[in-house]
Amino acid sequence: MAFSVARSAGLGSLAARAALAWIRRDPRAAELQRTNFHGRAVSLAGGPALAAGATIGAAFGARGAAATAAVVTAGAVSGAVGFYDDLVGDRPGQKAAKGFAGHLGALREGRVTSGLVKIAGVGGAALAASALLSRNRPRTGALDVLLGAGVIAGTANLLNLLDLRPGRALKAGALIGAPLAIGRDGGVAAGALGAGAALAQADLNEEIMLGDAGANAFGALLGLALAARTGPAGRALALTVLAGLTAASEKVSFTKVIQETPWLRRADELGRRPA
């Protein structure tokens, strides 16, 4: 069983590295260049590479056709709509809408923002993935499916909120995913973590950035792994925590909290390229 989990992690790692190399060789790779918070040029190539590697590794580690379909749905769709937002979100008329309320406000004005497309895509993928998971759970009700969808989408959103500094989202994902990668059902989390580990150094060195594509897909797959290993009570507890953190992010800067808390700041800066 440990070999199977390690194999999923290894496949996720290999797939992420191969995807990153392939994207970087593409003639249009220069279009993915962005400027980060340090003013350094980084590539969005890390996002689709992580989404692809994590989805492949997690799918390989899933047990059964329904679980595999859930992985592909959550990872591929979340990565795709996140990548769309990465490419379109900086255009004039898109940047002004911030947060869920901002995107809804734009919709009331007759504008469909790339951020709203991402929210709808991640939410729809989470609901479909949770419904697929329910095929392996006897006597699953609609409430349990909705709770599972909330955990998947909420984890995707949390890692996206944390992806403001190099390595931060991957470190948070490792904390969430490490316990989930243990045991006979650990293949999904292990596959995602393997892909994240493969790209961690490039992320910390500010060569790539995860963007919405990478953070959303990575978070959705870890949320799926969490939902798959919890019942209604566990899902409700996880969703409560995720909702609380999301609500807090509207009022408080996570980056400021990390900078003002010594042990969090040291963990956040660990392995990162000096400013």
Side-chain angles (χ1 to χ4, degrees):
M1 197 60 63
F3 174 73
S4 177
V5 170
R7 188 169 54 181
S8 299
L11 182 60
S13 176
L14 288 173
R17 290 180 185 275
L20 181 61
W22 178 71
I23 295 168
R24 281 174 158 174
R25 288 195 302 268
D26 190 277
R28 296 166 294 178
E31 298 174 15
L32 300 179
Q33 293 294 319
R34 296 292 186 274
T35 302
N36 73 356
F37 75 111
H38 275 151
R40 292 169 175 154
V42 297
S43 174
L44 284 170
L50 177 58
T55 300
I56 292 170
F60 191 86
R63 300 175 70 243
T68 301
V71 165
V72 173
T73 299
V77 175
S78 297
V81 295
F83 192 49
Y84 172 75
D85 192 31
D86 287 333
L87 295 177
V88 177
D90 281 339
R91 294 178 182 175
Q94 297 283 345
K95 297 176 68 174
K98 297 293 184 182
F100 188 66
H103 295 301
L104 286 181
L107 182 62
R108 285 193 294 267
E109 296 172 0
R111 295 186 294 113
V112 178
T113 64
S114 60
L116 187 61
V117 171
K118 179 188 68 176
I119 291 169
V122 172
L127 184 59
S130 183
L132 286 164
L133 281 182
S134 71
R135 296 183 181 182
N136 295 331
R137 301 164 69 100
R139 298 183 300 277
T140 299
L143 178 59
D144 196 21
V145 172
L146 290 174
L147 288 171
V151 171
I152 296 167
T155 310
N157 182 60
L158 176 62
L159 290 198
N160 193 31
L161 290 173
L162 291 173
D163 187 37
L164 295 177
R165 294 293 184 271
R168 184 180 294 173
L170 291 178
K171 291 174 183 176
L175 289 175
I176 295 170
L180 300 172
I182 299 171
R184 65 193 301 265
D185 294 317
V188 172
L193 292 177
L199 302 182
Q201 195 58 55
D203 187 18
L204 288 164
N205 284 343
E206 301 181 40
E207 300 168 17
I208 62 171
M209 61 188 299
L210 305 186
D212 290 352
N216 278 333
F218 190 51
L221 291 169
L222 293 176
L224 178 69
L226 177 58
R229 302 188 70 167
T230 52
R235 290 180 174 188
L237 176 60
L239 183 55
T240 299
V241 173
L242 290 166
L245 290 171
T246 300
S249 72
E250 298 286 339
K251 304 292 184 182
V252 179
S253 166
F254 286 170
T255 294
K256 184 178 180 181
V257 171
I258 291 170
Q259 286 298 313
E260 293 179 350
T261 308
W263 69 272
L264 283 176
R265 183 175 66 251
R266 287 193 294 270
D268 189 48
E269 294 174 347
L270 184 64
R272 187 179 297 164
R273 177 181 176 182

